[in-house]
């Protein structure tokens, strides 16, 4: 199809009848956009005592390392979304074990759900959104080249869960870690 | 503002340039709707060995009992959303303790996040979306008049968490419980 005119669409802020919050409305056709927070699903994937990381081939944070993660699609369960992202970004087949953490990023209207997972087969390779992928022991993790703060949070939370055996889902960042700049997009 | 014409807005299904999935597009103005799954936040709120339930004053399922829960708003954390819903529906001030469960309802593109919470003060009363509110022991719960299957799942999961001390977040419905018809909307 032809390139749409992106200046149109819901661009007027007003409270629709019967509502109590401002919504974005299209001045041309009257369409009301009920915008909602977005869900990012991802996983900390273990193979023995190593974890899977992907070096991003796309912006934002091209060249930096991240967990396999991305936006949940319509009609997709959160665990299916986490498995899909692991496949898309690292050709990894994973088995979900439980929920590691919820990271709320209200500034971006984003909720990140990070699962704990096990790699079924260590033969991983970069998908189209990755420059390279790899399995890293704790001391091999490229800490200076991590893409987003929540990647660091999740790695610390997973290590803590392993060390303590406490598998309750973490909410918010680990104690002692700086929040850092909020992730610009996704994990 | 005047009532918008609801036949307009994104109503044509097509794959935008540079995308790989069909999206809904407005034939009049070209606006592309990147629709996303919606997040419902709620809580199982305890006061001693009783739990808080609200009898719905609105459709769907008017007159049936539910947990305080609703859609997460933009720029809101999930725990703040759960606290807001408890206040709106039952004038309840709650303290969040942890995440009880994630219920994926992919047919509705909905993810329900249910927290475990403690009532700070037992003086609750119905908000505008409730006919009545109450605190119920396990045997007092109006099981035949529960609004949505996931309310039943959450009550069973909370009872199991209390009994076993296992606080890992539950994913999907409890073993032994029938899925039932999917919740028509919200919890």
């Amino acid at each position: 199809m032809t390139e749409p005119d992106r200046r149109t669409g819901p661009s007027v802020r007003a409270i629709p009848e019967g509502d109590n919050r401002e919504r974005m409305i299209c001045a041309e056709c009257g369409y009301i956009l009920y915008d909602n927070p977005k869900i990012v699903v991802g996983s900390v994937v273990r193979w023995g005592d190593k974890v899977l990381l992907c070096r991003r081939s796309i912006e934002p944070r091209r060249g930096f390392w991240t967990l396999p993660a991305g936006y949940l699609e319509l009609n997709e369960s959160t665990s299916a979304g986490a498995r899909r992202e692991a496949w898309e970004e690292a050709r990894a087949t994973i088995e979900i074990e439980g929920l590691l953490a919820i990271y709320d990023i209200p500034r971006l209207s984003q909720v990140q759900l990070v699962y704990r997972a096990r790699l079924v087969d260590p033969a991983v390779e970069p998908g189209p959104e990755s420059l390279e992928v790899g399995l890293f022991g704790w001391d091999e993790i490229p800490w200076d080249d991590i893409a987003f703060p929540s990647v660091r949070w999740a790695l610390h939370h997973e290590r803590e869960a392993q060390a303590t055996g406490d598998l309750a889902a973490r909410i918010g960042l680990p104690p002692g870690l700086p929040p850092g700049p909020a992730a610009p997009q996704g994990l």
Side-chain angles (χ1 to χ4, degrees), chain A:
Chain A
M1 60 174 291
T2 57
E3 185 71 19
D5 180 351
R6 288 175 190 278
R7 291 165 304 175
T8 57
S11 55
V12 176
R13 189 179 294 271
I15 301 177
E17 275 185 17
D19 200 345
N20 60 4
R21 286 174 190 256
E22 285 190 336
R23 312 287 176 181
M24 297 308 286
I25 298 173
C26 179
E28 272 188 69
C29 75
Y31 173 74
I32 304 170
L33 176 64
Y34 286 94
D35 202 8
N36 295 102
K38 290 183 178 52
I39 306 172
V40 169
V41 288
S43 55
V44 176
V45 180
R46 278 175 296 102
W47 176 258
D49 57 1
K50 292 177 186 287
V51 294
L52 173 65
L53 293 175
C54 310
R55 204 167 144 244
R56 293 171 64 85
S57 71
I58 54 171
E59 295 295 349
R61 303 291 276 163
R62 184 176 195 277
F64 289 80
W65 293 87
T66 190
L67 300 171
Y71 287 116
L72 185 66
E73 290 282 356
L74 289 177
N75 302 119
E76 186 175 55
S77 74
T78 54
S79 51
R83 286 195 300 270
R84 174 181 53 75
E85 291 289 343
W87 176 258
E88 285 181 3
E89 298 185 5
R91 297 298 178 242
T93 303
I94 67 171
E95 188 179 284
I96 301 271
E97 296 179 325
L99 187 75
L100 175 64
I102 297 182
Y103 302 128
D104 292 292
I105 308 189
R107 190 179 67 83
L108 301 174
S109 291
Q110 194 180 90
V111 177
Q112 301 184 352
L113 301 179
V114 184
Y115 280 99
R116 308 179 64 236
R118 198 179 62 80
L119 196 55
V120 173
D121 178 331
V124 291
E125 55 182 83
E129 295 183 7
S130 303
L131 294 169
E132 55 180 316
V133 297
L135 295 167
F136 296 86
W138 183 257
D139 295 327
E140 303 162 347
I141 291 171
W143 292 109
D144 293 339
D145 296 316
I146 295 293
F148 308 114
S150 53
V151 173
R152 200 171 286 117
W153 305 343
L155 292 169
H156 279 268
H157 273 148
E158 172 62 17
R159 185 172 167 88
E160 181 199 74
Q162 292 277 341
T164 62
D166 174 6
L167 299 183
R170 275 65 179 169
I171 298 164
L173 77 168
L177 267 198
Q185 181 190 304
L187 263 174

